Amino acid sequence: MLIKKAVFVTSSTTLKQSPTDGLLEFAFIGRSNVGKSSLINMLCAKKNLAKTSGTPGKTQLINHFLINDLWYLVDLPGYGWAKVSKSKKEAWDEMIRNYLLKREALACTFVLVDSRLEPQKIDVDFINWLGSKEVPFAVIFTKSDKHSRNKAVSSVKRFNKHLSQYWDTLPPIFLSSSVSQDGKKEILEYINGILNDFDNR
């Protein structure tokens, strides 16, 4: 699949404010500063579609982007160590939970994980929570260009081994780089496959 058109539609804090046309949605979420905005821009081939920042917590709303007039890419606030107040974090958590658990149009949630790090408890806990709630998801390892290919692959294997403690069947996993565009084709093909399956029902 090639993204030829990507347009920002709306920012919202509640499901009532989100689009109501019923198009399938693919959400992207990860720990603060994992490279989410850069990945979204890379997938859509638009440099400034999603705002990038070195400051954690830049994304504070649920942002919908209409892709090829066929589906929505949804940019969710990050979880983790954004420097905001406790009340703000709690509001974000509630907003994200409501979206992930109640949004009927949600087809898949992509959880972004920094490929340079050892398995982080916050990522594993979030993935396990999605599984416990039966929310469809896949994992994207980001920033693979920041170290060698072998190290990136080893990091993914290490994470998979850790997840195997909790999962009989591992979720779909992708290795990506917003710089080299690694993983772009595979991620978009995965999304296209879900869209085709939905159309063929």
Side-chain angles (χ1 to χ4, degrees), residues 5 9 13 20 33-36 49 60 70 75 89 105 111 131 141 147 155 159 161 166 196:
K5 184 179 180 182
V9 175
T13 58
T20 58
N33 224 26
V34 74
K36 176 167 54 69
L49 186 67
Q60 300 185 16
L70 295 174
D75 183 9
K89 285 184 179 180
V111 182
F141 287 87
H147 49 177
S155 179
F159 198 92
K161 184 177 180 180
Y166 312 98
N196 288 337

Side-chain angles (χ1 to χ4, degrees), residues 103-117:
R103 187 61 171 168
E104 293 182 1
L106 179 61
C108 182
T109 298
F110 290 98
V111 182
L112 276 58
V113 175
D114 192 328
S115 68
R116 302 170 299 175
L117 304 178

Side-chain angles (χ1 to χ4, degrees), residues 8-178:
F8 170 75
V9 175
T10 187
S11 293
S12 59
T13 58
T14 67
L15 297 183
K16 290 182 179 180
Q17 297 170 338
S18 298
T20 58
D21 51 23
L23 294 179
L24 291 186
E25 298 179 2
F26 296 83
F28 289 73
I29 190 171
R31 192 165 47 83
S32 297
N33 224 26
V34 74
K36 176 167 54 69
S37 296
S38 295
L39 177 72
I40 289 172
N41 291 338
M42 181 268 284
L43 291 175
C44 297
K46 280 201 171 185
K47 193 171 184 179
N48 297 309
L49 186 67
K51 295 180 180 179
T52 59
S53 173
T55 303
K58 183 67 174 179
T59 305
Q60 300 185 16
L61 300 168
I62 298 172
N63 297 309
H64 278 77
F65 300 91
L66 182 60
I67 308 298
N68 293 344
D69 293 324
L70 295 174
W71 56 278
Y72 287 105
L73 185 156
V74 183
D75 183 9
L76 296 175
Y79 54 83
W81 49 274
K83 294 182 179 179
V84 296
S85 66
K86 182 179 179 181
S87 61
K88 188 71 172 179
K89 285 184 179 180
E90 290 175 349
W92 284 358
D93 287 345
E94 182 179 1
M95 177 174 63
I96 293 168
R97 280 197 305 271
N98 282 337
Y99 174 82
L100 293 173
L101 296 179
K102 299 177 182 179
R103 187 61 171 168
E104 293 182 1
L106 179 61
C108 182
T109 298
F110 290 98
V111 182
L112 276 58
V113 175
D114 192 328
S115 68
R116 302 170 299 175
L117 304 178
E118 294 287 331
Q120 302 293 299
K121 184 177 185 299
I122 191 170
D123 293 325
V124 174
D125 286 349
F126 183 70
I127 287 170
N128 287 340
W129 178 81
L130 289 175
S132 71
K133 300 299 182 181
E134 299 184 348
V135 177
F137 74 95
V139 179
I140 300 176
F141 287 87
T142 63
K143 305 183 180 182
S144 65
D145 60 285
K146 300 296 184 181
H147 49 177
S148 71
R149 179 74 181 181
N150 286 341
K151 286 186 177 180
V153 171
S154 294
S155 179
V156 172
K157 289 181 178 179
R158 185 166 59 245
F159 198 92
N160 284 348
K161 184 177 180 180
H162 189 80
L163 279 187
S164 295
Q165 300 177 61
Y166 312 98
W167 293 78
D168 292 329
T169 303
L170 293 174
I173 287 174
F174 303 92
L175 185 60
S176 75
S177 164
S178 60

